[in-house]
Structure formats: C-alpha cells, structure tokens
Coordinates of all heavy atoms in Angstrom, one line a residue:
M15 N 247.4 27.2 0.2 CA 246.9 27.3 -1.2 C 245.5 26.6 -1.4 O 245.4 25.5 -0.9 CB 248.0 26.6 -2.1 CG 247.6 26.6 -3.6 SD 248.8 26.2 -4.8 CE 249.4 24.7 -4.3
A16 N 244.7 27.3 -2.0 CA 243.3 26.7 -2.4 C 243.5 25.6 -3.4 O 244.3 25.6 -4.3 CB 242.4 27.9 -2.9
E17 N 242.6 24.7 -3.4 CA 242.5 23.6 -4.3 C 241.3 23.8 -5.3 O 240.2 24.2 -4.8 CB 242.3 22.3 -3.5 CG 243.6 21.9 -2.8 CD 244.9 21.6 -3.6 OE1 244.7 21.0 -4.7 OE2 245.9 22.0 -3.2
A18 N 241.5 23.4 -6.5 CA 240.4 23.5 -7.5 C 240.7 22.3 -8.4 O 241.8 21.9 -8.7 CB 240.4 24.7 -8.2
S19 N 239.6 21.8 -9.0 CA 239.7 20.6 -10.0 C 238.7 20.8 -11.0 O 237.7 21.6 -10.9 CB 239.6 19.3 -9.2 OG 238.3 19.1 -8.7
A20 N 238.9 20.0 -12.1 CA 237.9 20.0 -13.2 C 237.9 18.6 -13.8 O 238.9 18.0 -13.9 CB 238.4 21.1 -14.3
R21 N 236.7 18.2 -14.2 CA 236.5 16.9 -14.8 C 235.6 17.2 -16.0 O 234.7 18.0 -15.9 CB 236.0 15.9 -13.9 CG 234.5 16.0 -13.4 CD 234.1 15.0 -12.5 NE 232.7 15.0 -12.4 CZ 232.0 15.9 -11.7 NH1 232.5 17.0 -11.2 NH2 230.7 15.8 -11.7
R22 N 235.9 16.4 -17.0 CA 235.0 16.4 -18.3 C 234.0 15.4 -18.2 O 234.3 14.2 -17.9 CB 236.0 16.2 -19.4 CG 235.2 16.5 -20.7 CD 236.1 16.3 -21.9 NE 235.3 16.7 -23.1 CZ 235.7 17.5 -24.0 NH1 236.9 18.1 -24.0 NH2 235.0 17.7 -25.1
E23 N 232.8 15.8 -18.7 CA 231.8 14.8 -18.9 C 231.0 15.1 -20.1 O 230.3 16.2 -20.3 CB 230.6 14.9 -17.7 CG 231.2 14.3 -16.4 CD 230.1 14.3 -15.3 OE1 229.0 14.5 -15.5 OE2 230.5 14.2 -14.1
G24 N 231.3 14.5 -21.2 CA 230.8 14.7 -22.5 C 231.3 16.0 -23.0 O 232.6 16.1 -23.0
D25 N 230.4 17.0 -23.4 CA 230.9 18.2 -23.8 C 230.9 19.4 -22.8 O 230.9 20.5 -23.0 CB 230.0 18.7 -25.0 CG 228.6 19.1 -24.5 OD1 228.1 18.7 -23.4 OD2 227.9 19.6 -25.4
A26 N 230.9 18.9 -21.5 CA 230.9 19.8 -20.4 C 232.1 19.6 -19.6 O 232.6 18.5 -19.3 CB 229.6 19.7 -19.6
V27 N 232.5 20.7 -18.9 CA 233.6 20.6 -17.9 C 233.0 21.1 -16.6 O 232.3 22.1 -16.5 CB 234.8 21.5 -18.2 CG1 235.7 21.6 -17.1 CG2 235.5 20.9 -19.4
H28 N 233.2 20.3 -15.5 CA 232.6 20.6 -14.2 C 233.8 21.0 -13.3 O 234.8 20.3 -13.1 CB 231.9 19.4 -13.5 CG 230.7 18.9 -14.3 ND1 229.5 19.5 -14.1 CD2 230.6 18.1 -15.4 CE1 228.6 18.9 -15.0 NE2 229.3 18.1 -15.8
V29 N 233.7 22.2 -12.7 CA 234.7 22.8 -11.9 C 234.2 22.8 -10.4 O 233.2 23.1 -10.0 CB 235.0 24.3 -12.3 CG1 236.1 24.9 -11.5 CG2 235.3 24.3 -13.8
Q30 N 235.3 22.3 -9.6 CA 235.0 22.3 -8.2 C 236.1 23.0 -7.4 O 237.3 23.1 -7.9 CB 234.9 20.8 -7.7 CG 233.8 20.0 -8.1 CD 234.2 19.2 -9.4 OE1 235.4 19.0 -9.6 NE2 233.3 18.8 -10.1
G31 N 235.8 23.5 -6.2 CA 236.8 24.1 -5.3 C 236.9 25.5 -5.2 O 235.9 26.2 -5.5
E32 N 238.0 26.0 -4.8 CA 238.2 27.5 -4.6 C 239.0 28.0 -5.8 O 240.0 27.5 -6.1 CB 238.8 27.8 -3.3 CG 237.9 27.3 -2.1 CD 238.5 27.7 -0.8 OE1 239.5 28.5 -0.7 OE2 238.1 27.2 0.1
L33 N 238.6 29.1 -6.4 CA 239.3 29.7 -7.5 C 240.0 31.0 -7.0 O 239.3 31.9 -6.7 CB 238.4 30.0 -8.7 CG 237.6 28.8 -9.3 CD1 236.7 29.2 -10.4 CD2 238.6 27.8 -9.7
D34 N 241.2 30.9 -6.9 CA 242.0 32.2 -6.5 C 243.2 32.2 -7.3 O 243.5 31.4 -8.2 CB 242.3 32.2 -5.0 CG 243.2 31.0 -4.6 OD1 243.8 30.3 -5.4 OD2 243.2 30.8 -3.3
F35 N 244.2 33.1 -7.0 CA 245.3 33.3 -7.9 C 246.3 32.0 -7.9 O 246.8 31.9 -9.0 CB 246.1 34.6 -7.4 CG 245.3 35.8 -7.6 CD1 244.6 36.4 -6.5 CD2 245.0 36.4 -8.8 CE1 243.9 37.6 -6.6 CE2 244.3 37.5 -9.0 CZ 243.7 38.1 -7.9
D36 N 246.2 31.3 -6.9 CA 247.1 30.1 -6.9 C 246.5 29.0 -7.7 O 247.1 28.4 -8.4 CB 247.4 29.7 -5.4 CG 248.3 30.7 -4.7 OD1 249.1 31.2 -5.3 OD2 248.1 30.9 -3.4
S37 N 245.2 28.7 -7.3 CA 244.6 27.5 -7.9 C 244.2 27.7 -9.3 O 244.2 26.8 -10.2 CB 243.3 27.2 -7.2 OG 242.3 28.3 -7.3
V38 N 244.0 28.9 -9.8 CA 243.6 29.2 -11.2 C 244.8 28.9 -12.1 O 244.5 28.4 -13.2 CB 243.2 30.7 -11.4 CG1 243.1 31.1 -12.8 CG2 241.7 30.8 -10.9
A39 N 245.9 29.2 -11.8 CA 247.1 28.9 -12.7 C 247.2 27.4 -12.9 O 247.3 26.9 -14.1 CB 248.4 29.4 -12.0
R40 N 247.0 26.6 -11.8 CA 247.1 25.2 -11.9 C 245.8 24.6 -12.7 O 245.9 23.7 -13.6 CB 247.0 24.5 -10.6 CG 247.2 23.0 -10.6 CD 247.4 22.4 -9.2 NE 247.2 21.0 -9.2 CZ 246.2 20.3 -9.2 NH1 245.1 20.8 -9.2 NH2 246.2 19.0 -9.2
L41 N 244.6 25.2 -12.5 CA 243.5 24.8 -13.2 C 243.6 25.1 -14.6 O 243.1 24.3 -15.5 CB 242.2 25.4 -12.5 CG 240.9 24.9 -13.1 CD1 240.7 23.4 -12.7 CD2 239.7 25.7 -12.3
W42 N 244.2 26.2 -15.0 CA 244.4 26.5 -16.5 C 245.2 25.4 -17.1 O 244.9 24.9 -18.2 CB 245.0 27.9 -16.6 CG 245.4 28.0 -18.0 CD1 246.8 28.1 -18.5 CD2 244.7 28.1 -19.3 NE1 246.7 28.4 -19.8 CE2 245.5 28.3 -20.3 CE3 243.3 27.9 -19.4 CZ2 245.0 28.3 -21.6 CZ3 242.8 27.9 -20.7 CH2 243.6 28.1 -21.8
E43 N 246.2 25.0 -16.4 CA 247.1 23.9 -17.0 C 246.4 22.6 -17.2 O 246.4 21.9 -18.2 CB 248.3 23.6 -16.1 CG 249.3 24.7 -16.1 CD 250.4 24.4 -15.0 OE1 250.5 23.3 -14.5 OE2 251.2 25.3 -14.8
I44 N 245.4 22.3 -16.2 CA 244.6 21.1 -16.4 C 243.6 21.2 -17.6 O 243.5 20.3 -18.4 CB 243.9 20.8 -15.1 CG1 244.8 20.5 -14.0 CG2 242.8 19.8 -15.2 CD1 244.1 20.6 -12.6
T45 N 242.9 22.4 -17.6 CA 241.9 22.5 -18.7 C 242.4 22.8 -20.1 O 241.6 22.6 -21.0 CB 240.8 23.5 -18.2 OG1 241.5 24.9 -18.0 CG2 240.2 23.2 -16.9
E46 N 243.6 23.3 -20.2 CA 244.1 23.7 -21.4 C 244.1 22.5 -22.3 O 243.7 22.6 -23.5 CB 245.6 24.3 -21.3 CG 246.1 24.9 -22.6 CD 247.4 25.5 -22.5 OE1 248.1 25.1 -21.4 OE2 247.8 26.2 -23.3
S47 N 244.5 21.3 -21.9 CA 244.5 20.2 -22.7 C 243.0 19.7 -23.1 O 242.8 19.1 -24.1 CB 245.2 18.9 -22.0 OG 244.5 18.6 -20.8
L48 N 242.1 20.0 -22.2 CA 240.7 19.6 -22.4 C 240.2 20.4 -23.7 O 239.4 19.9 -24.4 CB 239.8 19.9 -21.2 CG 240.0 19.1 -20.0 CD1 239.1 19.6 -18.9 CD2 240.0 17.6 -20.2
F49 N 240.5 21.7 -23.9 CA 240.2 22.5 -25.0 C 240.8 22.0 -26.3 O 240.2 22.3 -27.3 CB 240.5 24.0 -24.7 CG 239.5 24.6 -24.0 CD1 239.5 24.8 -22.5 CD2 238.3 25.2 -24.5 CE1 238.6 25.4 -21.9 CE2 237.3 25.8 -23.9 CZ 237.4 25.9 -22.4
Q50 N 241.9 21.3 -26.1 CA 242.6 20.8 -27.4 C 242.0 19.5 -27.9 O 242.2 19.1 -29.0 CB 244.1 20.6 -27.1 CG 244.8 22.0 -26.9 CD 246.2 21.8 -26.4 OE1 246.7 20.8 -26.4 NE2 246.7 22.9 -26.2
A51 N 241.1 18.9 -27.0 CA 240.5 17.6 -27.4 C 239.2 17.9 -28.1 O 239.1 18.8 -28.9 CB 240.4 16.8 -26.2
E52 N 238.2 17.1 -27.8 CA 236.8 17.4 -28.3 C 236.3 18.7 -27.8 O 236.7 19.2 -26.7 CB 235.9 16.3 -27.9 CG 236.3 14.9 -28.4 CD 236.1 14.8 -29.9 OE1 235.1 15.3 -30.5 OE2 237.0 14.3 -30.6
P53 N 235.4 19.4 -28.6 CA 234.9 20.6 -28.2 C 234.1 20.6 -26.7 O 233.5 19.7 -26.5 CB 233.9 21.1 -29.3 CG 234.3 20.2 -30.4 CD 234.9 19.0 -29.8
I54 N 234.4 21.7 -26.1 CA 233.6 21.9 -24.8 C 232.6 23.0 -25.0 O 232.9 24.0 -25.5 CB 234.6 22.4 -23.8 CG1 235.6 21.2 -23.4 CG2 233.9 22.8 -22.5 CD1 236.7 21.7 -22.5
H55 N 231.3 22.6 -24.7 CA 230.2 23.6 -24.9 C 229.7 24.2 -23.7 O 229.1 25.3 -23.8 CB 229.1 22.9 -25.7 CG 229.5 22.4 -27.0 ND1 229.8 23.2 -28.1 CD2 229.7 21.2 -27.5 CE1 230.1 22.6 -29.2 NE2 230.1 21.3 -28.8
R56 N 230.0 23.6 -22.5 CA 229.5 24.2 -21.2 C 230.6 24.0 -20.2 O 231.2 23.0 -20.2 CB 228.3 23.4 -20.7 CG 227.0 23.7 -21.6 CD 225.8 22.9 -21.0 NE 226.1 21.5 -21.1 CZ 226.1 20.6 -20.1 NH1 225.9 21.0 -18.9 NH2 226.4 19.3 -20.3
I57 N 230.6 25.0 -19.4 CA 231.4 25.0 -18.1 C 230.5 25.2 -17.0 O 229.9 26.2 -16.9 CB 232.7 25.9 -18.2 CG1 233.6 25.6 -19.3 CG2 233.3 25.9 -16.8 CD1 234.8 26.4 -19.5
D58 N 230.5 24.1 -16.2 CA 229.5 24.1 -15.0 C 230.3 24.6 -13.7 O 231.2 23.9 -13.4 CB 229.0 22.8 -14.8 CG 227.9 22.6 -13.7 OD1 227.9 23.5 -12.8 OD2 227.1 21.8 -13.8
L59 N 230.0 25.6 -13.2 CA 230.7 26.2 -12.0 C 230.0 26.0 -10.6 O 230.2 26.6 -9.7 CB 230.9 27.7 -12.2 CG 231.7 28.0 -13.5 CD1 231.6 29.5 -13.8 CD2 233.1 27.7 -13.3
S60 N 229.0 25.0 -10.6 CA 228.2 24.8 -9.5 C 229.0 24.3 -8.3 O 228.6 24.4 -7.2 CB 227.0 23.7 -9.8 OG 227.5 22.6 -10.2
G61 N 230.2 23.7 -8.6 CA 231.0 23.1 -7.6 C 232.0 24.2 -7.0 O 232.9 23.9 -6.1
V62 N 232.0 25.4 -7.5 CA 232.8 26.4 -7.0 C 232.4 26.9 -5.6 O 231.3 27.4 -5.5 CB 233.1 27.6 -8.0 CG1 233.8 28.8 -7.4 CG2 233.6 27.1 -9.4
L63 N 233.3 26.7 -4.7 CA 232.9 27.2 -3.2 C 233.2 28.6 -3.0 O 232.6 29.3 -2.2 CB 233.8 26.3 -2.3 CG 233.6 24.8 -2.4 CD1 234.6 24.1 -1.5 CD2 232.3 24.4 -2.2
R64 N 234.2 29.1 -3.7 CA 234.6 30.6 -3.5 C 235.5 31.0 -4.6 O 236.2 30.2 -5.2 CB 235.5 30.6 -2.2 CG 235.8 32.1 -1.7 CD 236.8 32.1 -0.5 NE 238.1 31.5 -0.7 CZ 239.1 32.0 -1.3 NH1 239.0 33.3 -1.7 NH2 240.3 31.4 -1.4
S65 N 235.4 32.3 -5.0 CA 236.2 32.7 -6.1 C 236.5 34.2 -5.9 O 235.7 34.9 -5.4 CB 235.5 32.5 -7.4 OG 236.2 33.0 -8.6
N66 N 237.7 34.6 -6.5 CA 237.9 36.1 -6.6 C 238.1 36.4 -8.0 O 237.7 35.6 -9.0 CB 239.2 36.4 -5.8 CG 240.4 35.7 -6.2 OD1 240.6 35.2 -7.4 ND2 241.4 35.6 -5.4
S67 N 238.6 37.6 -8.4 CA 238.7 37.9 -9.7 C 239.5 37.0 -10.7 O 239.3 37.0 -11.9 CB 239.3 39.4 -9.8 OG 240.5 39.4 -9.3
A68 N 240.3 36.2 -10.1 CA 241.1 35.3 -10.8 C 240.3 34.3 -11.5 O 240.5 33.8 -12.6 CB 242.2 34.6 -10.0
G69 N 239.2 33.8 -10.7 CA 238.3 32.9 -11.3 C 237.6 33.4 -12.6 O 237.4 32.8 -13.6
V70 N 237.1 34.8 -12.5 CA 236.5 35.4 -13.6 C 237.5 35.5 -14.7 O 237.1 35.3 -15.9 CB 235.9 36.8 -13.1 CG1 235.3 37.5 -14.3 CG2 234.8 36.5 -12.0
A71 N 238.7 35.9 -14.5 CA 239.7 36.0 -15.5 C 239.9 34.7 -16.2 O 240.0 34.6 -17.4 CB 241.0 36.4 -15.0
L72 N 239.8 33.6 -15.5 CA 239.9 32.3 -16.1 C 238.7 32.0 -17.0 O 238.9 31.4 -18.1 CB 240.0 31.2 -15.0 CG 240.2 29.7 -15.5 CD1 241.4 29.5 -16.4 CD2 240.2 28.7 -14.3
M73 N 237.5 32.4 -16.6 CA 236.4 32.3 -17.5 C 236.6 33.0 -18.9 O 236.3 32.5 -19.9 CB 235.2 32.9 -16.8 CG 234.6 32.0 -15.6 SD 233.3 32.9 -14.7 CE 231.9 32.9 -16.0
V74 N 237.2 34.2 -18.7 CA 237.4 35.0 -20.0 C 238.4 34.2 -20.8 O 238.3 34.2 -22.1 CB 238.0 36.4 -19.6 CG1 238.4 37.2 -20.8 CG2 236.9 37.2 -18.9
E75 N 239.5 33.7 -20.2 CA 240.4 32.9 -21.0 C 239.8 31.6 -21.7 O 240.1 31.3 -22.8 CB 241.6 32.5 -20.1 CG 242.7 31.8 -20.9 CD 243.2 32.5 -22.1 OE1 243.3 33.8 -22.1 OE2 243.7 31.9 -23.0
W76 N 239.0 31.0 -20.9 CA 238.3 29.9 -21.5 C 237.4 30.3 -22.7 O 237.4 29.5 -23.7 CB 237.4 29.1 -20.4 CG 238.0 28.2 -19.5 CD1 239.3 27.6 -19.6 CD2 237.6 28.0 -18.1 NE1 239.5 26.9 -18.5 CE2 238.6 27.1 -17.6 CE3 236.5 28.4 -17.4 CZ2 238.4 26.7 -16.3 CZ3 236.5 27.9 -16.1 CH2 237.4 27.0 -15.5
L77 N 236.7 31.4 -22.5 CA 235.9 31.9 -23.7 C 236.8 32.2 -24.9 O 236.5 31.8 -26.0 CB 235.1 33.1 -23.3 CG 234.3 33.7 -24.3 CD1 233.2 32.8 -24.8 CD2 233.7 35.0 -23.8
H78 N 238.0 32.8 -24.6 CA 239.0 33.1 -25.7 C 239.4 31.9 -26.5 O 239.4 31.8 -27.6 CB 240.1 33.9 -25.1 CG 241.3 34.1 -26.1 ND1 241.2 35.0 -27.1 CD2 242.5 33.5 -26.2 CE1 242.3 35.0 -27.8 NE2 243.1 34.0 -27.3
Q79 N 239.7 30.8 -25.6 CA 240.1 29.6 -26.3 C 239.0 29.0 -27.1 O 239.3 28.5 -28.3 CB 240.5 28.5 -25.2 CG 241.8 28.9 -24.5 CD 243.0 29.0 -25.4 OE1 243.1 28.2 -26.3 NE2 243.8 30.0 -25.2
A80 N 237.8 29.0 -26.7 CA 236.7 28.4 -27.5 C 236.4 29.2 -28.7 O 236.2 28.6 -29.8 CB 235.4 28.4 -26.6
R81 N 236.5 30.6 -28.6 CA 236.2 31.4 -29.8 C 237.3 31.3 -30.7 O 237.2 31.3 -32.0 CB 236.1 32.9 -29.3 CG 234.7 33.1 -28.7 CD 234.4 34.6 -28.5 NE 233.1 34.7 -28.0 CZ 232.7 35.8 -27.4 NH1 233.5 36.9 -27.3 NH2 231.5 35.9 -27.0
R82 N 238.5 31.1 -30.3 CA 239.8 30.8 -31.2 C 239.5 29.6 -32.0 O 239.9 29.5 -33.2 CB 241.0 30.7 -30.4 CG 242.3 30.9 -31.2 CD 243.4 30.9 -30.4 NE 243.6 29.5 -30.0 CZ 244.7 29.0 -29.3 NH1 245.7 29.8 -29.1 NH2 244.8 27.7 -29.2
R83 N 238.9 28.6 -31.4 CA 238.6 27.3 -32.1 C 237.2 27.4 -32.8 O 236.8 26.4 -33.3 CB 238.7 26.2 -31.2 CG 240.1 26.0 -30.7 CD 240.2 24.9 -29.6 NE 241.4 24.5 -29.4 CZ 242.3 25.1 -28.6 NH1 242.0 26.2 -28.0 NH2 243.5 24.7 -28.3
Q84 N 236.5 28.5 -32.7 CA 235.2 28.8 -33.4 C 234.2 27.8 -32.8 O 233.4 27.2 -33.5 CB 235.3 28.7 -34.9 CG 236.1 29.8 -35.5 CD 236.3 29.8 -36.9 OE1 235.9 28.8 -37.6 NE2 236.7 30.8 -37.5
Q85 N 234.2 27.6 -31.5 CA 233.3 26.7 -30.8 C 232.4 27.5 -29.8 O 232.9 28.4 -29.2 CB 234.2 25.7 -30.1 CG 235.0 24.8 -30.9 CD 236.0 23.9 -30.1 OE1 236.2 24.1 -28.9 NE2 236.6 23.0 -30.8
P86 N 231.1 27.1 -29.8 CA 230.3 27.9 -28.8 C 230.7 27.4 -27.4 O 231.1 26.3 -27.2 CB 228.9 27.4 -29.2 CG 229.1 26.0 -29.9 CD 230.4 26.1 -30.5
L87 N 230.5 28.3 -26.4 CA 230.7 28.0 -25.0 C 229.7 28.8 -24.1 O 229.5 29.9 -24.4 CB 232.1 28.3 -24.6 CG 232.6 28.0 -23.2 CD1 232.6 26.6 -22.9 CD2 233.9 28.7 -22.8
A88 N 229.2 28.2 -23.2 CA 228.3 28.7 -22.2 C 228.8 28.4 -20.8 O 229.3 27.3 -20.5 CB 226.8 28.4 -22.4
F89 N 228.6 29.4 -19.9 CA 228.8 29.1 -18.4 C 227.6 28.9 -17.8 O 226.7 29.7 -17.8 CB 229.7 30.2 -17.9 CG 231.0 30.4 -18.5 CD1 231.2 31.4 -19.5 CD2 232.1 29.7 -18.1 CE1 232.4 31.6 -20.1 CE2 233.4 29.9 -18.8 CZ 233.5 30.9 -19.7
V90 N 227.5 27.8 -17.0 CA 226.2 27.5 -16.2 C 226.5 27.3 -14.7 O 227.6 27.1 -14.3 CB 225.6 26.2 -16.8 CG1 225.2 26.4 -18.2 CG2 226.4 25.0 -16.6
N91 N 225.4 27.6 -14.0 CA 225.5 27.5 -12.5 C 226.6 28.3 -11.8 O 227.4 27.9 -11.1 CB 225.6 26.0 -12.1 CG 224.5 25.1 -12.6 OD1 223.4 25.6 -12.6 ND2 224.9 23.9 -13.2
I92 N 226.6 29.5 -12.2 CA 227.6 30.5 -11.8 C 227.3 31.0 -10.3 O 226.1 31.5 -10.1 CB 227.7 31.7 -12.8 CG1 228.1 31.2 -14.1 CG2 228.7 32.7 -12.2 CD1 227.6 32.2 -15.2
P93 N 228.2 30.8 -9.4 CA 227.9 31.2 -8.0 C 227.7 32.7 -7.9 O 228.2 33.6 -8.7 CB 229.2 30.8 -7.3 CG 229.8 29.8 -8.1 CD 229.5 30.1 -9.5
K94 N 226.8 33.2 -6.9 CA 226.6 34.5 -6.8 C 227.8 35.4 -6.7 O 227.9 36.6 -7.2 CB 225.7 34.8 -5.5 CG 224.2 34.2 -5.7 CD 223.5 34.4 -4.4 CE 222.1 33.8 -4.5 NZ 221.3 34.1 -3.4
Q95 N 228.8 34.9 -5.9 CA 230.1 35.7 -5.7 C 230.7 36.0 -7.1 O 231.2 37.1 -7.3 CB 231.0 34.9 -4.8 CG 232.2 35.6 -4.5 CD 233.1 34.8 -3.7 OE1 233.2 33.6 -3.6 NE2 233.9 35.5 -2.8
M96 N 230.8 35.0 -8.0 CA 231.3 35.2 -9.3 C 230.5 36.2 -10.1 O 231.0 37.1 -10.9 CB 231.5 33.9 -10.0 CG 232.6 33.0 -9.4 SD 232.9 31.6 -10.2 CE 234.1 32.1 -11.5
R97 N 229.1 36.0 -10.0 CA 228.2 36.9 -10.8 C 228.5 38.4 -10.4 O 228.4 39.2 -11.2 CB 226.8 36.6 -10.6 CG 226.4 35.4 -11.5 CD 224.9 35.2 -11.4 NE 224.5 34.0 -12.3 CZ 224.2 34.1 -13.5 NH1 224.3 35.2 -14.2 NH2 223.9 33.0 -14.2
A98 N 228.7 38.6 -9.1 CA 228.9 39.9 -8.6 C 230.1 40.5 -9.2 O 230.2 41.7 -9.6 CB 228.9 39.9 -7.1
I99 N 231.2 39.7 -9.3 CA 232.5 40.2 -9.9 C 232.2 40.6 -11.3 O 232.7 41.6 -11.9 CB 233.6 39.2 -9.6 CG1 233.9 39.1 -8.2 CG2 234.9 39.6 -10.4 CD1 234.8 37.9 -7.8
I100 N 231.5 39.6 -12.0 CA 231.2 39.8 -13.5 C 230.5 41.1 -13.7 O 230.7 41.9 -14.6 CB 230.5 38.6 -14.0 CG1 231.4 37.4 -14.1 CG2 229.9 38.9 -15.3 CD1 230.8 36.1 -14.3
E101 N 229.5 41.5 -12.9 CA 228.7 42.7 -13.0 C 229.5 43.9 -12.8 O 229.4 44.9 -13.4 CB 227.5 42.6 -12.0 CG 226.4 41.6 -12.5 CD 225.3 41.4 -11.5 OE1 225.2 42.2 -10.4 OE2 224.5 40.4 -11.7
V102 N 230.4 43.9 -11.7 CA 231.2 45.0 -11.3 C 232.2 45.3 -12.5 O 232.4 46.4 -12.8 CB 231.9 44.8 -10.0 CG1 233.1 45.8 -9.8 CG2 231.0 44.8 -8.8
A103 N 232.7 44.2 -13.1 CA 233.6 44.3 -14.2 C 233.0 44.6 -15.5 O 233.6 44.8 -16.6 CB 234.5 43.1 -14.3
E104 N 231.6 44.6 -15.5 CA 230.8 44.8 -16.7 C 231.1 43.9 -17.8 O 231.2 44.2 -19.0 CB 230.9 46.3 -17.1 CG 230.5 47.3 -16.2 CD 230.6 48.7 -16.7 OE1 231.2 49.0 -17.8 OE2 230.0 49.7 -16.0
L105 N 231.2 42.6 -17.3 CA 231.4 41.5 -18.3 C 230.3 40.7 -18.7 O 230.3 39.7 -19.4 CB 232.6 40.6 -17.8 CG 234.0 41.1 -17.6 CD1 234.9 40.2 -16.9 CD2 234.5 41.4 -19.0
E106 N 229.1 41.1 -18.1 CA 227.9 40.2 -18.3 C 227.5 40.3 -19.8 O 226.8 39.3 -20.2 CB 226.7 40.7 -17.5 CG 226.3 42.1 -17.6 CD 227.0 43.1 -16.7 OE1 228.0 42.8 -16.1 OE2 226.4 44.2 -16.5
T107 N 227.9 41.3 -20.6 CA 227.6 41.2 -22.0 C 228.6 40.5 -22.8 O 228.4 40.2 -24.0 CB 227.4 42.6 -22.5 OG1 228.7 43.4 -22.3 CG2 226.2 43.3 -21.9
V108 N 229.8 40.3 -22.2 CA 230.8 39.5 -22.9 C 230.8 38.0 -22.6 O 230.9 37.3 -23.6 CB 232.3 40.0 -22.5 CG1 233.3 39.3 -23.0 CG2 232.3 41.5 -22.7
L109 N 230.6 37.6 -21.4 CA 230.6 36.3 -21.1 C 229.2 35.6 -21.4 O 228.1 36.1 -20.9 CB 231.0 36.1 -19.6 CG 232.4 36.3 -19.2 CD1 232.5 36.4 -17.7 CD2 233.3 35.4 -19.8
P110 N 229.2 34.5 -22.1 CA 227.8 33.8 -22.2 C 227.4 33.0 -21.0 O 227.8 31.9 -20.8 CB 228.2 32.8 -23.3 CG 229.7 32.6 -23.3 CD 230.3 33.8 -22.6
L111 N 226.6 33.8 -20.2 CA 226.0 33.2 -18.9 C 224.7 32.6 -19.2 O 223.8 33.2 -19.8 CB 226.0 34.3 -17.9 CG 227.2 35.2 -17.7 CD1 226.9 36.3 -16.7 CD2 228.4 34.3 -17.3
A112 N 224.6 31.3 -18.6 CA 223.2 30.6 -18.8 C 222.6 30.6 -17.3 O 223.3 30.7 -16.3 CB 223.4 29.2 -19.3

C-alpha cells in the first residue's frame, strides 16, 4: 500500500507521498477534518511522488468541499503526471490550477 500524508501550514495544506486508490481513502479521512477547521486556500502538491486518477478525484472532492463552504481554493505545484490526467479528463477548466 502506498503512503501519503498531509500537513497544514497556515491556510495551505501540503501533500506528500503517493496518491493511489489505497492512500487516497486514508488521506481523505485526514484532510476532511482540516476542511472543517479554518479555511484552506491552497493545496500544495509538490510533495506528490506519484499519482493515478484517484489523486485527481481527491482534488475534485477537495474543491467540492471548499465550494460547499463558499471558500476559494487553488492547487499549486501540481506534478506533471497529475496535470496529464487532468488534461485527459478535461478538468483543467474545472480545477483551479496555479
């Protein structure tokens, strides 16, 4: 099973590790409580080593949570592998990429 983690720094969440179907479920549980606390405005993905479509699906869910709370959210430092999945899925107009 791949490992992934997230830590909060101010209004940003920094994600590290591998995002796959196993790790994303655990990471969602970790970050769900972060969205219920103070607003998160940025999710930094520079620490992501590898991702499949599950990682992109998690990005969509994070965006949904932010919009539900009427909070702005941007994704920064998105790895090339994730950008490729986003482009193939035609999500570049949906996800706020910086």
